[in-house]
Amino acid sequence: MSKSTRLDSKENESKLLPIYRHKEELILAVKDSTFLAVTGETGSGKTTQLPKYLHQAGFCKDGKIGITQPRRVAAITVAQRVAQEMQCTLGREVGYQVRFDDCTSQSTVVKYMTDGCLLREILADPVLSQYSVVILDEVHERSLNTDILLGLLKKMFSDSAKAIKGRSFPLKVVVMSATLEADKLSAFLSDCPVFTIPGRTFPVTSTFGFAVGPKDIESAGYLKEVLSFSFESGRELKRACDLLYEKRPTVEGLLILPLYGSMPTDQQRQIFQPPPSGIRKCVVATNIAATSLTINGIKYIIDSGFVKQLNHNSRVGMDILEVVPISKSESEQRAGRAGRTSAGKCFRIYTKEFWEKSMPEYTVPEIQRTSLTAVILTLKCLGVHDVIRFPYLDCPEERFILEALKQLYQFDAIDRRGRVTQLGKLMVEFPLHPGLTRAVLKAASLGCHDLLLPLAAMLSVENIFIRPGHPEKQKEADTIHRALAAKTGSMNDFATLLSVFQLCKSSDRPSAWCKDHWIHWRALKSAFSVETQLREILLRLQQVQDFPVDTFDGDKSELFRRCLCTGYFTNVARRSVGKVFCTMDGHGSMVHLHPSSSLFDQEGKLNWIIFHDVLVTSRMYVRTACPIRYEWVKDLLPKLHEVDVYELSSVAREEVTDEEMIQWETREAAKRQPEVSTEDVIKKLEKRNNEATVGDARARYMQRKQQRQPNKAL
DNA sequence: GAGCACTGC
């Protein structure tokens, strides 16, 4: 087949998509209004075709068409496809931009990108003056960045003076979503028109099972039972399971099992290959299958009903990874995967009662269950001072916002009146948690950023230590990892990470070095890229801004940890009894060192520590830690309690009067007593550690955990 | 003495 014939066939193929019949209407709808909501199921062609139509209709005359995606792979693959259909070289008229990969040029007019990239662009150009159309895709997924973009775009038009001032031609906004959220979106965007494109899906019938908790699913016995025995509703699952095990299935099609555990990454590639004729393929997948993977020909779904989710808990001030029931809408989506190419079946292994009583209608959007510190700083830098009344499609709880403000104040990113500081303006440029950025900037001001940049990169990527399942191998890996930690000459997990980065980077054969040391080469490679990016950002800021310069007259060997303290003083803990540590952030949580830490079993020698993160499993564990001296954080710790909720909410609402400010400052001055003894400060800090609160939080957690245990009686 | 879903800049 010649090249042109192939292209023609692509073009003809696109004319078969459901969206094609609505081409002219769609173009008119975009012309007629500022906001437009477009809904359509997967397969309607909206992601690839709408930008193409708008391009053909002349929307690129003044500016670009930008289309956001929540994920990188999607941005890249869709751009490739559209470039092919429009018969142009990728990176010319049609391009994409994701982190570490900018495939655009001066001539790019149709630009696919991740939502995070567009947010970065808004920081540099708040009215998006280069764009004539912005399309937010997959809005129903409710990713944090897409939600923020939605609010910003809505706000751009309500602050009409501002928007007009910065632009010479109109901006059109299209939001694309699955059907369920369309009316809500329309209401949010001043009752904009909703354009519905029929999808191309087949019916899926669902049946229920008898599992009532993740433990049921976890136990191999149960899974085996489910897969080989029976279902409450009879033969259907039996048939599906027969299909799974039979070498010569009687029905064509695939079967997919969405689980909530991890999947060996090295096996992912084979998933996309069609099975040999007469062999059934079974895909066992995490929720990566919900969005990121498109596997054609799936006919059966087995739905576990659970998902592993990272939730922010503002009660204890930390992120907790937990297994929770999915929402009904998520379950419908899982089921929908079986009906893409023909009629399908979904086997829900939980009871109908569980569906009715324990599963929420919709998934809680990310913005309502995540730490907002970085996002609030971004908003502040965009001139959104009233972060409580920002137009959120779904408002985060006020205490989440207050907690974020408090942290930003603690990191010197905002001042007492909620205004972004010089330091805050530098911090927003880094793709890191503000605390870590604070440590990086401290190091840079002292000229020792070579210590902090690699560390920040290592803390940004997935876990680098491989721990195999095989007991022998596990022992081997543990020994090697411990030796790596010992090499730094001190108990310090941060220093170990830095050392691994440096050792690998300076090795002649870095990938072989990783293999020898049970380290993920892929993770280290991305750490190298992140470090390069962070270094570039730092260099740029040092050239244009009034960059802070500090001096350090302490012991050189303390420099690294002293820098860390400026970003991690919110994560300070003091050893209380035995191996238990008590956090000093005001929550007074009782935490243990994780056994993977080089400080583990050395607790007796420790007093004060700082840590990177907390993991709640059988206990509350802190991972990646190092010992510090109380003197290093003594002056910082009072900052943890300096601001109270009342003041912050005023700051957040921009309601602070001058009178209030004077009152507040007087109170603050009174608090700052001339010389306070160490014991006094500690006493004061520990007094805040309300044990009832901690015990309560713990009890709630255990209760939730209990609820998830198998209940054989049912 | 451990139990790490998934994105994104």
Side-chain angles (χ1 to χ4, degrees):
Chain A
M1 206 198 301
S2 77
K3 197 181 172 193
S4 62
T5 328
R6 214 163 49 227
L7 290 170
D8 286 348
S9 78
K10 279 271 174 205
E11 184 60 35
N12 288 333
E13 214 176 279
S14 75
K15 284 181 184 163
L16 294 172
L17 289 164
I19 194 175
Y20 184 70
R21 298 175 351 154
H22 307 275
K23 183 177 175 178
E24 298 307 322
E25 276 174 277
L26 264 169
I27 293 169
L28 270 178
V30 176
K31 273 187 182 151
D32 283 348
S33 47
T34 298
F35 295 114
L36 177 69
V38 176
T39 82
E41 301 301 331
T42 318
S44 62
K46 58 189 193 308
T47 307
T48 51
Q49 306 305 301
L50 182 61
K52 197 171 81 176
Y53 297 166
L54 295 179
H55 175 257
Q56 286 164 0
F59 276 90
C60 298
K61 187 163 54 64
D62 297 316
K64 285 183 271 199
I65 300 173
I67 311 99
T68 68
Q69 294 291 327
R71 283 168 303 281
R72 286 193 219 171
V73 203
I76 298 170
T77 51
V78 175
Q80 280 166 344
R81 193 189 158 128
V82 173
Q84 212 174 32
E85 276 183 29
M86 285 171 60
Q87 308 192 16
C88 64
T89 310
L90 187 63
R92 299 291 295 271
E93 286 81 6
V94 180
Y96 66 86
Q97 189 188 349
V98 298
R99 189 183 188 183
F100 305 128
D101 192 2
D102 183 355
C103 186
T104 62
S105 61
Q106 287 293 321
S107 44
T108 302
V109 284
V110 175
K111 178 174 170 180
Y112 286 88
M113 66 191 115
T114 49
D115 48 10
C117 276
L118 188 66
L119 202 50
R120 290 277 141 190
E121 281 194 41
I122 291 195
L123 266 173
D125 175 15
V127 294
L128 291 169
S129 53
Q130 289 189 49
Y131 291 88
S132 52
V133 186
V134 166
I135 304 174
L136 305 183
D137 199 7
E138 313 284 12
V139 177
H140 60 276
E141 284 186 29
R142 307 299 307 276
S143 88
L144 180 61
N145 288 333
T146 296
D147 266 19
I148 293 294
L149 285 171
L150 255 180
L152 285 170
L153 287 164
K154 179 187 165 84
K155 203 170 184 305
M156 212 184 275
F157 289 90
S158 44
D159 300 351
S160 53
K162 227 189 219 167
I164 289 161
K165 207 172 148 192
R167 296 189 59 97
S168 50
F169 52 91
L171 176 67
K172 300 287 185 180
V173 177
V174 181
V175 293
M176 304 206 288
S177 149
T179 325
L180 277 172
E181 303 264 355
D183 292 336
K184 187 173 173 180
L185 279 171
S186 164
F188 181 72
L189 299 170
S190 17
D191 292 317
C192 72
V194 177
F195 201 106
T196 307
I197 303 159
R200 207 199 263 160
T201 49
F202 297 87
V204 176
T205 49
S206 298
T207 52
F208 290 92
F210 56 79
V212 290
K215 283 281 167 200
D216 291 349
I217 300 150
E218 221 163 68
S219 70
Y222 178 79
L223 193 60
K224 206 176 163 191
E225 203 178 351
V226 163
L227 291 178
S228 61
F229 184 50
S230 72
F231 226 45
E232 204 174 287
S233 56
R235 299 173 210 112
E236 291 289 5
L237 182 74
K238 171 88 168 67
R239 185 147 166 249
C241 300
D242 288 345
L243 297 177
L244 187 64
Y245 284 122
E246 266 176 31
K247 280 184 182 157
R248 293 199 170 276
T250 48
V251 186
E252 290 296 313
L254 301 175
L255 185 140
I256 189 168
L257 283 135
L259 295 181
Y260 54 86
S262 64
M263 168 166 59
T265 45
D266 47 332
Q267 284 168 25
Q268 280 175 23
R269 200 170 297 172
Q270 294 167 30
I271 291 170
F272 302 102
Q273 304 304 319
S277 146
I279 298 292
R280 180 146 321 276
K281 185 162 83 173
C282 170
V283 183
V284 181
T286 62
N287 53 343
I288 192 169
T291 48
S292 302
L293 299 184
T294 304
I295 305 162
N296 292 321
I298 292 167
K299 283 187 88 167
Y300 304 96
I301 294 280
I302 297 184
D303 175 14
S304 69
F306 288 86
V307 67
K308 199 165 225 161
Q309 203 171 58
L310 186 71
N311 291 322
H312 181 73
N313 186 325
S314 71
R315 246 179 108 80
V316 280
M318 43 186 83
D319 293 334
I320 297 173
L321 190 68
E322 51 193 353
V323 176
V324 294
I326 58 169
S327 65
K328 288 174 187 159
S329 65
E330 210 171 333
S331 170
E332 298 287 12
Q333 208 174 350
R334 284 185 180 182
R337 306 279 305 195
R340 295 283 162 78
T341 44
S342 64
K345 286 199 163 54
C346 174
F347 301 95
R348 298 186 165 131
I349 75 176
Y350 40 88
T351 59
K352 185 80 196 283
E353 193 189 2
F354 183 82
W355 161 277
E356 278 158 2
K357 290 188 180 158
S358 305
M359 286 167 61
E361 291 298 318
Y362 299 102
T363 308
V364 178
E366 194 183 1
I367 200 165
Q368 290 181 330
R369 50 180 176 84
T370 201
S371 163
L372 298 173
T373 317
V375 151
I376 296 289
L377 180 61
T378 307
L379 287 179
K380 288 262 175 195
C381 284
L382 285 167
V384 180
H385 296 298
D386 193 342
V387 286
I388 286 179
R389 282 191 217 130
F390 176 77
Y392 300 99
L393 182 57
D394 284 299
C395 284
E397 274 183 66
E398 194 162 312
R399 60 191 171 130
F400 274 52
I401 299 176
L402 295 179
E403 194 191 18
L405 286 166
K406 191 169 168 179
Q407 280 215 341
L408 290 173
Y409 175 71
Q410 286 161 356
F411 297 134
D412 305 309
I414 59 172
D415 65 18
R416 287 171 182 181
R417 303 186 87 160
R419 290 169 303 208
V420 181
T421 61
Q422 206 52 42
L423 201 68
K425 284 177 192 160
L426 297 174
M427 283 167 67
V428 79
E429 299 290 330
F430 289 87
L432 296 173
H433 181 272
L436 192 49
T437 312
R438 182 71 188 90
V440 166
L441 288 174
K442 179 70 178 175
S445 72
L446 292 168
C448 63
H449 47 265
D450 283 343
L451 299 178
L452 261 290
L453 289 175
L455 173 69
M458 291 290 268
L459 292 171
S460 304
V461 299
E462 62 210 286
N463 183 25
I464 58 150
F465 297 104
I466 298 169
R467 195 151 192 272
H470 190 276
E472 288 278 308
K473 301 272 180 198
Q474 196 172 84
K475 227 173 155 184
E476 185 190 323
D478 286 353
T479 310
I480 289 173
H481 292 161
R482 250 183 299 240
L484 280 172
K487 242 180 192 169
T488 65
S490 60
M491 299 181 291
N492 182 338
D493 298 323
F494 297 98
T496 306
L497 286 174
L498 172 64
S499 167
V500 167
F501 182 99
Q502 290 166 335
L503 287 170
C504 180
K505 188 140 200 189
S506 59
S507 155
D508 296 332
R509 291 161 59 234
S511 67
W513 186 92
C514 285
K515 208 176 167 201
D516 294 345
H517 293 87
W518 293 94
I519 300 284
H520 278 291
W521 167 233
R522 215 182 53 175
L524 260 171
K525 265 198 296 191
S526 47
F528 292 156
S529 316
V530 175
E531 200 259 355
T532 307
Q533 188 196 23
L534 297 177
R535 194 172 285 272
E536 282 165 5
I537 294 169
L538 183 62
L539 268 173
R540 174 163 59 82
L541 296 177
Q542 281 177 322
Q543 278 162 7
V544 293
Q545 300 254 10
D546 230 1
F547 204 85
V549 178
D550 262 341
T551 53
F552 180 76
D553 49 10
D555 191 329
K556 274 253 165 165
S557 67
E558 294 173 0
L559 190 58
F560 183 54
R561 284 183 292 163
R562 294 293 291 271
C563 289
L564 284 174
C565 282
T566 62
Y568 283 104
F569 70 96
T570 49
N571 288 3
V572 169
R574 183 196 188 216
R575 192 161 66 91
S576 108
V577 219
K579 294 182 162 195
V580 184
F581 289 79
C582 180
T583 62
M584 287 291 143
D585 57 356
H587 294 291
S589 313
M590 301 309 242
V591 295
H592 288 78
L593 277 164
H594 193 269
S596 66
S597 168
S598 56
L599 281 65
F600 183 79
D601 259 353
Q602 310 289 315
E603 287 90 345
K605 301 177 193 164
L606 302 168
N607 192 16
W608 293 81
I609 57 165
I610 51 171
F611 53 90
H612 173 69
D613 62 351
V614 186
L615 177 73
V616 183
T617 50
S618 56
R619 280 174 172 172
M620 266 192 165
Y621 285 110
V622 297
R623 290 187 299 187
T624 321
C626 80
I628 55 152
R629 294 166 71 96
Y630 169 71
E631 292 75 45
W632 301 346
V633 288
K634 182 180 173 223
D635 297 334
L636 296 168
L637 286 181
K639 219 177 159 134
L640 294 179
H641 312 291
E642 228 173 64
V643 189
D644 68 35
V645 173
Y646 167 73
E647 282 136 12
L648 271 175
S649 59
S650 306
V651 162
R653 288 209 187 85
E654 257 188 341
E655 279 169 358
V656 196
T657 62
D658 284 341
E659 200 186 329
E660 278 178 323
M661 264 330 270
I662 293 164
Q663 276 178 7
W664 186 59
E665 284 182 11
T666 318
R667 279 208 305 277
E668 283 304 304
K671 279 186 212 162
R672 261 176 255 124
Q673 283 150 18
E675 193 52 50
V676 191
S677 77
T678 303
E679 285 309 310
D680 284 345
V681 175
I682 295 171
K683 256 186 211 155
K684 202 175 147 195
L685 287 169
E686 286 189 341
K687 209 173 153 193
R688 291 171 182 273
N689 301 337
N690 183 337
E691 277 176 26
T693 314
V694 182
D696 188 27
R698 175 89 191 133
R700 278 157 164 250
Y701 170 71
M702 292 312 286
Q703 192 191 350
R704 275 206 313 276
K705 214 176 151 150
Q706 212 69 50
Q707 282 168 357
R708 290 186 234 117
Q709 302 295 317
N711 189 341
K712 299 290 178 201
L714 285 175

